Structures are given as C-alpha cells and as structure tokens.
Amino acid sequence: MNASASSLAAEDFKAVFRGHPSGVTVITADAGDGPVALTASSVASVSAEPPLLVFSISSLSSTAEALLRAESVVVHFLDGNNVEVAKLGATSGIDRFAQAQTWTRLETGEPVFDGVRAWVRCVIVDRMQAGTSTIVVARAVESQIARDAQPGGSGDALVYHNRTWHRLGDHSRLEG
C-alpha cells in the first residue's frame, strides 16, 4: 500500500458518509462565557471501564472554541421525541438557550436540555487535532436515562441519514 497516495476528494468522502446513518446527540458546555450547544453524529463509545467516549468538533463550528475550552460537557442522547433539540443544536446564528427549548444547569454548572432520552456528563481527558476537526476524549462521570431502550427492542432512536432526520422503530426493524 502506498502511504503517499492522494486523498479521496472531500465531496466523494461526504457522499460515502451520507449513506451511513448515525445516532444523534447534542453536546452542551459552558466554559465561562455562557452555554453553547452543538448537534453531533460523531459520538462513539470507546471503553466501558473506564467509561470513555469520543466525539469530533469541526473548527468551522461557531461553538468550537467554547467547547474546546470547556473542562466538562453534557452529551444528550436523543430519540424521535427530541428532533427539535437536534435541529436547535444544528442551527447556527441563533440563541440555542432561548426558552424555545427548556433547559437547566446541573449542580456542576453544565447546561442540560429537558426531556431528552438520556444524557451523560463527561470530563474531558484528551484532545487531538485531526485535519479540520478536534477529536475529544471524555470520561463519563454522571448520567440520567429518562426513556431506556429495552434490550432487543427497537426503541425510538433518532438517526441522521442522507441529510435527513429519521426515527427507528418497529417499522424499520429487519428480522434476520
């Protein structure tokens, strides 16, 4: 394999990932300048012991600077009931913490949206530059689950696929 081979064109790379559905989360933080929120489909679990997850933040995001200064974040795991929260975190140029969506602060200061399926408060343990994004590694320290998906059940997951929001449910289950 030739390590110096040219890279895949950005548009071709994006086209590959448009056909790859992702779970939807909203990441919130407050680095001291007020709360920020970002919708992210890049969240992945890394380890259960210790409980670690990763996500990426594009340098093009208006919230990147504040999120990268934060020592802790809240990752909101969304379901089909939370599409408005997902849209809120994905819309630039608005006050994501206006009362259109209710939110509170945890005792530790992080903003958390009300009514989400689940959330995890995390402490940032590492950051790594990767192209035009920063990969963030975070350790889960607290969580709350409002609506749990039953093992083997379809739940009501919110996914992003081909630039569109989708709800998984019994109608989308494939038996195999």
Side-chain angles (χ1 to χ4, degrees):
M1 184 166 142
N2 184 355
S4 64
S6 64
S7 294
L8 184 64
E11 288 307 312
D12 293 339
F13 189 70
K14 291 176 186 178
V16 168
F17 274 88
R18 267 196 305 276
H20 182 71
S22 301
V24 182
T25 64
V26 169
I27 301 168
T28 58
D30 190 340
D33 303 324
V36 294
L38 169 76
T39 296
S41 59
S42 63
V43 174
S45 66
V46 174
S47 169
E49 292 184 28
L52 298 174
L53 58 83
V54 296
F55 57 90
S56 65
I57 302 172
S58 168
S59 62
L60 302 176
S61 170
S62 61
T63 62
E65 193 267 331
L67 280 170
L68 292 174
R69 281 190 297 110
E71 295 179 14
S72 61
V73 298
V74 174
V75 180
H76 302 72
F77 292 83
L78 308 182
D79 64 15
N81 298 303
N82 304 129
V83 70
E84 293 307 317
V85 177
K87 290 177 182 179
L88 183 72
T91 304
S92 60
I94 64 167
D95 177 1
R96 294 179 177 115
F97 292 89
Q99 290 306 317
Q101 174 62 41
T102 58
W103 63 283
T104 56
R105 286 189 186 270
L106 299 176
E107 287 184 19
T108 48
E110 300 89 353
V112 62
F113 286 113
D114 299 335
V116 297
R117 186 189 75 77
W119 57 260
V120 176
R121 185 173 76 85
C122 300
V123 175
I124 305 302
V125 296
D126 202 5
R127 296 172 182 86
M128 178 185 82
Q129 199 61 38
T132 59
S133 294
T134 301
I135 306 299
V136 178
V137 181
R139 180 174 43 89
V141 296
E142 180 182 359
S143 69
Q144 181 178 21
I145 300 173
R147 294 180 298 280
D148 198 4
Q150 297 303 312
S154 60
D156 191 25
L158 179 63
V159 297
Y160 195 71
H161 178 256
N162 199 16
R163 299 180 180 167
T164 308
W165 309 104
H166 295 268
R167 168 182 267 150
L168 296 184
D170 286 333
H171 69 282
S172 60
R173 180 188 304 231
L174 300 175
E175 298 299 325

